[in-house]
Amino acid sequence: MAALGARRLLRPGRRWFSDTVPGAPSPPGSPLYPPVVASITAKSKAAKLRRLQRFNQRVHEAATVEEKLRLYGKLQRPKYMVYPQTFALNADRWYRSFTKTVLVPGMPPRAAAAKPPVATAGATSETGRAPEPRAEAPGHTEAAGNAEAPGGAKTPEPSAGAAPCPDIGELRSLACDALLQESFYQNKKRPFLYRDQDHTPGPFLTQLVSTLAASLSGRNPLLAASSLDLNPEVNYYWHHGNEVVVHGHRKGRVDPVRFQIDDNPHLQIRVPKQLPEVVPLESDLGDVPVIEHKPSKLPLFKKQYENKVFIGTKVADPCCYGHTQFHLLPDRLKRERFIKERLEDQIEVVYRSNGIASLFAWTAAQAMYQGFWNEADVTRPFVSQAVVTDGKYFAFFCYQLNTLALNAETIKNNPRKNICWGTDSKPLYDVVEDGNVKGFNDEVLLQLVHFLLNRPKEL
Amino acid sequence: VFPGVRQAQWLTKTKLVEGLPPAVQGIMDNPALGLQELEERAKHMVSHARLWDTAEAAPKRERYCPMLFENLIHICRLMSGKYPSLSKRMLARNCRIAATWERESILLQVRGLSGILMNSMSPIAPVASKEEILATKEHVLETFYPIAPTIDLQEVNVYKELNDTGHMCPLGFRDGYPYSHPHTLFFLESASVRTDRFRPEQLRAKMLMFAFGNALAKARALHGNDPKVLEQPIVVQSIGTDGQLFQFMVFQLNTTDLVSNDGVKNLVWIDSDQNLYERAQCVPEVKKGVVTKPAGISGFQPDTFKKFLALYLHGTV
């Protein structure tokens, strides 16, 4: 190129060697030649890089979020289908490595700090709050005497003096009523084969959540503006890591590993304002497991279909942030089956993998609805909660999404990790007999109430 | 064949009153309820059910009809933050109802899945005054001579009259159920094919029959099987919809003496064919480069939602 340039300058008519001032810059503004960049269509690594940059530029410049999502998922290739409810052994470790999530056992600190005021108020209430009028529990028999409340199963309920303390007795009776209606009082036909979950636990969960949310909406204005979805669809598509294409006409090329989650929670609550962050964006609370095998060893299978990103409604909905999801485990993942196959330790794995995968998909899809994606990482953490249950045992999860940048180029310099807090599964009740619920566990109910009352600080 | 509601009226010995009863109108007109803010939410809920609910372009009726119902009920339920006694209600889906009665020597029975039933711990107070009830004595039921009133009804040999307290429970629930008073029945016509759905007239007749069946079963559970005029009339409401058109009904059972054609009659107030919105356009319709119908919900009628909410709040407010 330099020789050509020189020859052009030596043509007659150009008296450059005497006239030009040495060091004078070329005409200000546009350079003389276009920038030297890689080709767009060549079969070279530089060309591939340039095509990728042009694609990223297109997505950055997309006018609306729908356009961004359309471009993000435009190219269809075979991808791994990740199922949140899976029987695969130790699936939660694999899912954590796919989504760069740290699992912290137990509930986040703010939950632990706020719970004692509700639970121990019963202990301190007799002395301090006895003279206060019981505005909320006029007719409850359990509320009659804290002193002579029968010990054992029922924990002493808090005296209903202060407004922030929900009346546990009333909520407990709501929960018991829902349970009894579905399992005992209503005349139903026999459950369909292998569809036990649709017969009793499913309707019970729906009733429980809808009545609890309604009665707690007075305390939590976020719930009062919420939207309840029954059986919604949640989808998310992402890339993580690189692999070499094994067979086919594209054999030998390096491709990102693509994943898709298609989830159907039983119930979800969406709100117009985001939940507050639990820990700051750059916190490091643990390690992400590293798995050296290919994802197909889990087992995970590939299929090529539409790349959907969906939180349950379209982008136009004002309730675009997630609050709580409720998942019902199907019959094929019953506890009894695991116990029969001598895989008792996998029972908790089922709950954890469901919580992690579903919440990652939901929070990441919420982030994409706000315009973030793996090249434009989130500037604020997205928090959502989930309850995974099989009708009797409840496990609670809280997820904070700190980063969406999981594909091979962006993960290199990304110190952020997503965090998931989760509990083990605990039973809500022991057994339902003759119109009575025996062994009702208030802690589980309290945790559920706490989840539902979660709201941003300014509300 | 016949306008369904008239036939149902004869079968249940009922007098029809157009429009909703004044008690329900009073709830609607009560400004303390803050119904204005709820209109915005109701519009969002309609948009959610009809437009935003699915990743595809437009949800089908089988999806959006129940979804719209769930959304509206969700808004109504959230009112229990303001009125805590609203939490004494429980929804029951797929409940089965059965009631048998005799009408001029014809044995009739109503059976089947009566949609979604909302039960409450306390009954609804009677909507019609004593004078109005006594005035129904003069009302003469329309007969369809020469057509028998049981035309188009299926003749079935009933071997077990399901009103026995014994093994079968006519109300669909066992004894001791705390939410023992049927409050409102909801009927969702959500079939995609138009011929599988009930037409509005037939839907109103179905609503009347099932409301009557529920009220009768409750009356017999409370007062026994003898036919008589009720001291405390039983009120059961009913709402039917196909996702856009709403039918509202309040039924008051005054008497279980159904054999004869004279005496006190039952009363029903019907408000029919209320549109919640005119049309829901998922994709804007463009003709020759000009947008003729923009995307979104057009023609939203807040009054229909107010009636829905008023019927929900009836009995506690």
Side-chain angles (χ1 to χ4, degrees):
Chain A
M1 284 302 251
L4 272 168
R7 214 170 298 153
R8 219 193 291 168
L9 286 171
L10 281 171
R11 240 180 263 139
R14 296 224 173 228
R15 301 158 79 80
W16 56 273
F17 45 82
S18 57
D19 291 356
T20 45
V21 176
S26 43
S30 58
L32 219 45
Y33 299 105
V36 177
V37 282
S39 143
I40 299 179
T41 50
K43 191 181 170 185
S44 64
K45 290 204 182 73
K48 184 159 177 203
L49 212 55
R50 180 142 181 247
R51 283 196 291 271
L52 202 55
Q53 277 165 3
R54 278 166 63 93
F55 170 72
N56 291 346
Q57 192 66 21
R58 258 182 94 188
V59 182
H60 275 300
E61 284 163 3
T64 62
V65 174
E66 286 101 336
E67 181 64 20
K68 234 182 224 192
L69 290 176
R70 191 189 72 88
L71 286 174
Y72 176 76
K74 195 161 95 131
L75 179 62
Q76 280 190 19
R77 289 262 192 251
K79 57 192 175 180
Y80 287 112
M81 297 178 291
V82 175
Y83 292 101
Q85 294 178 333
T86 171
F87 49 75
L89 300 181
N90 292 327
D92 69 321
R93 278 198 74 225
W94 292 75
Y95 289 179
R96 272 184 282 154
S97 84
F98 296 152
T99 61
K100 206 179 178 194
T101 310
V102 171
L103 181 67
V104 178
M107 274 286 114
R110 64 177 164 84
K115 264 175 67 174
V118 182
T120 62
T124 55
S125 66
E126 286 97 326
T127 50
R129 301 214 188 130
E132 276 195 44
R134 287 173 169 272
E136 300 201 54
H140 281 285
T141 48
E142 308 106 275
N146 274 334
E148 52 266 15
K154 290 199 180 152
T155 55
E157 55 169 280
S159 118
C165 275
D167 186 5
I168 284 297
E170 195 170 321
L171 297 172
R172 188 194 306 139
S173 66
L174 275 180
C176 289
D177 282 338
L179 184 55
L180 287 172
Q181 176 188 316
E182 294 305 332
S183 49
F184 182 72
Y185 283 123
Q186 191 171 347
N187 285 342
K188 292 183 188 179
K189 287 178 139 175
R190 279 174 47 189
F192 198 73
L193 185 62
Y194 297 134
R195 292 247 188 272
D196 282 318
Q197 297 293 85
D198 295 337
H199 185 253
T200 306
F204 161 57
L205 191 59
T206 317
Q207 286 284 15
L208 179 69
V209 173
S210 34
T211 43
L212 276 184
S215 62
L216 291 173
S217 64
R219 286 175 219 287
N220 186 356
L222 197 63
L223 272 187
S226 68
S227 184
L228 188 70
D229 292 336
L230 293 187
N231 222 6
E233 211 185 308
V234 173
N235 309 79
Y236 186 60
Y237 166 76
W238 79 104
H239 298 175
H240 179 69
N242 270 345
E243 65 172 1
V244 178
V245 180
V246 163
H247 60 271
H249 68 280
R250 302 184 72 234
K251 179 172 172 176
R253 300 180 205 190
V254 173
D255 246 9
V257 182
R258 304 174 183 93
F259 298 92
Q260 167 94 34
I261 292 184
D262 295 315
D263 187 24
N264 287 97
H266 186 74
L267 211 54
Q268 77 182 15
I269 299 179
R270 279 174 302 108
V271 287
K273 292 205 178 54
Q274 205 177 338
L275 285 178
E277 65 174 31
V278 182
V279 287
L281 194 56
E282 305 282 345
S283 338
D284 187 355
L285 293 180
D287 287 321
V288 180
V290 173
I291 299 191
E292 293 91 19
H293 305 283
K294 277 175 69 162
S296 60
K297 304 289 183 205
L298 174 59
L300 226 49
F301 298 97
K302 281 198 173 184
K303 201 162 90 153
Q304 175 175 323
Y305 56 103
E306 193 195 340
N307 300 329
K308 275 210 275 201
V309 175
F310 194 62
I311 65 167
T313 41
K314 296 196 178 136
V315 184
D317 197 330
C319 288
C320 52
Y321 294 104
H323 190 268
T324 316
Q325 268 183 343
F326 293 85
H327 296 267
L328 191 64
L329 291 179
D331 276 297
R332 63 174 190 274
L333 297 174
K334 289 198 287 208
R335 290 178 101 91
E336 292 84 19
R337 279 198 154 172
F338 282 102
I339 295 172
K340 203 162 67 165
E341 291 166 26
R342 293 202 291 266
L343 289 168
E344 289 87 357
D345 46 339
Q346 299 296 319
I347 296 180
E348 292 305 322
V349 166
V350 169
Y351 288 89
R352 283 203 294 261
S353 58
N354 196 356
I356 292 175
S358 305
L359 280 175
F360 170 74
W362 205 28
T363 46
Q366 288 167 44
M368 287 209 79
Y369 270 34
Q370 302 305 312
F372 300 110
W373 58 300
N374 52 19
E375 298 291 328
D377 210 356
V378 295
T379 51
R380 58 186 193 272
F382 282 77
V383 173
S384 289
Q385 305 167 135
V387 177
V388 183
T389 171
D390 68 346
K392 187 168 152 187
Y393 288 83
F394 283 70
F396 298 91
F397 295 91
C398 178
Y399 195 94
Q400 172 163 328
L401 183 86
N402 292 326
T403 173
L404 273 182
L406 297 172
N407 62 345
E409 298 89 23
T410 49
I411 209 176
K412 273 185 227 154
N413 302 326
N414 188 7
R416 300 188 200 165
K417 300 173 193 165
N418 303 319
I419 311 172
C420 181
W421 289 265
T423 64
D424 282 343
S425 55
K426 296 195 194 74
L428 181 65
Y429 59 92
D430 276 338
V431 74
V432 176
E433 256 175 27
D434 287 338
N436 287 322
V437 178
K438 295 206 165 56
F440 195 87
N441 187 354
D442 275 344
E443 275 179 35
V444 176
L445 185 62
L446 262 169
Q447 181 62 273
L448 185 59
V449 165
H450 194 82
F451 261 23
L452 287 173
L453 287 178
N454 197 1
R455 57 189 179 275
K457 306 234 178 355
E458 44 289 350
L459 283 184
Chain B
V1 167
F2 244 111
V5 178
R6 284 161 56 192
Q7 181 182 11
Q9 275 180 266
W10 189 91
L11 292 173
T12 59
K13 201 175 170 187
T14 309
K15 175 179 166 198
L16 170 67
V17 180
E18 291 286 341
L20 287 175
V24 178
Q25 281 287 347
I27 300 179
M28 273 175 65
D29 300 327
N30 184 358
L33 290 177
L35 292 181
Q36 295 301 114
E37 299 92 49
L38 290 179
E39 275 178 37
E40 190 59 39
R41 294 211 63 207
K43 200 153 177 217
H44 279 313
M45 291 305 184
V46 174
S47 308
H48 171 255
R50 282 301 309 258
L51 306 174
W52 302 328
D53 182 33
T54 169
E56 300 128 31
K60 296 202 158 53
R61 193 182 290 265
E62 277 143 346
R63 201 173 155 93
Y64 77 68
C65 188
M67 181 60 76
L68 181 61
F69 164 70
E70 294 294 337
N71 285 344
L72 294 176
I73 283 284
H74 183 59
I75 305 182
C76 297
R77 254 202 298 256
L78 288 177
M79 298 282 286
S80 58
K82 251 200 232 169
Y83 302 101
S85 45
L86 276 183
S87 56
K88 306 270 184 286
R89 303 259 183 100
M90 195 65 84
L91 266 186
R93 290 155 215 270
N94 299 329
C95 51
R96 339 200 78 221
I97 180 63
T100 324
W101 70 98
E102 250 201 60
R103 189 85 180 83
E104 269 197 5
S105 74
I106 311 167
L107 194 63
L108 299 163
Q109 186 180 60
V110 147
R111 261 178 113 147
L113 292 174
S114 66
I116 306 174
L117 172 62
M118 183 164 68
N119 290 307
S120 136
M121 275 188 183
S122 50
I124 313 179
V127 227
S129 57
K130 292 260 181 239
E131 298 79 31
E132 286 177 355
I133 302 175
L134 290 173
T136 57
K137 274 191 193 168
E138 281 83 51
H139 175 79
V140 173
L141 287 173
E142 229 182 309
T143 50
F144 312 108
Y145 187 81
I147 302 179
T150 52
I151 194 171
D152 287 344
L153 292 180
Q154 206 180 13
E155 199 176 296
V156 158
N157 288 326
V158 177
Y159 294 114
K160 209 190 306 194
E161 281 204 18
L162 285 177
N163 267 3
D164 305 325
T165 59
H167 307 290
M168 305 292 278
C169 312
L171 274 174
F173 297 94
R174 288 202 213 186
D175 299 324
Y177 184 48
Y179 302 88
S180 52
H181 298 271
H183 187 278
T184 313
L185 282 161
F186 298 96
F187 294 93
L188 305 176
E189 294 297 315
S190 51
S192 288
V193 182
R194 189 166 52 87
T195 41
D196 287 343
R197 295 199 291 272
F198 275 67
R199 287 197 305 278
E201 183 70 27
Q202 295 167 332
L203 180 60
R204 287 196 286 274
K206 178 163 105 160
M207 282 159 63
L208 179 52
M209 297 300 283
F210 276 105
F212 172 77
N214 268 296
L216 189 64
K218 183 70 196 163
R220 290 199 176 146
L222 282 179
H223 305 295
N225 281 347
D226 307 321
K228 58 175 182 241
V229 177
L230 298 173
E231 283 299 320
Q232 270 292 87
I234 296 183
V235 178
V236 174
Q237 300 174 144
S238 187
I239 300 181
T241 176
D242 67 349
Q244 185 165 351
L245 218 55
F246 279 76
Q247 326 282 343
F248 299 105
M249 177 185 295
V250 181
F251 176 79
Q252 175 166 321
L253 185 77
N254 296 321
T255 170
T256 50
D257 174 17
L258 300 158
V259 181
S260 65
N261 257 333
D262 322 311
V264 171
K265 317 267 183 317
N266 304 316
L267 282 164
V268 69
W269 290 259
I270 299 189
D271 201 4
S272 45
D273 292 336
Q274 304 290 312
N275 244 336
L276 185 56
Y277 53 92
E278 286 304 321
R279 62 180 306 122
Q281 196 80 11
C282 294
V283 184
E285 194 177 304
V286 180
K287 283 206 168 118
K288 292 188 186 166
V290 176
V291 177
T292 43
K293 291 181 190 146
I297 303 284
S298 62
F300 179 69
Q301 306 274 2
D303 284 333
T304 315
F305 173 66
K306 280 192 196 156
K307 287 176 187 164
F308 188 96
L309 185 58
L311 281 181
Y312 184 87
L313 295 173
H314 189 205
T316 44
V317 170

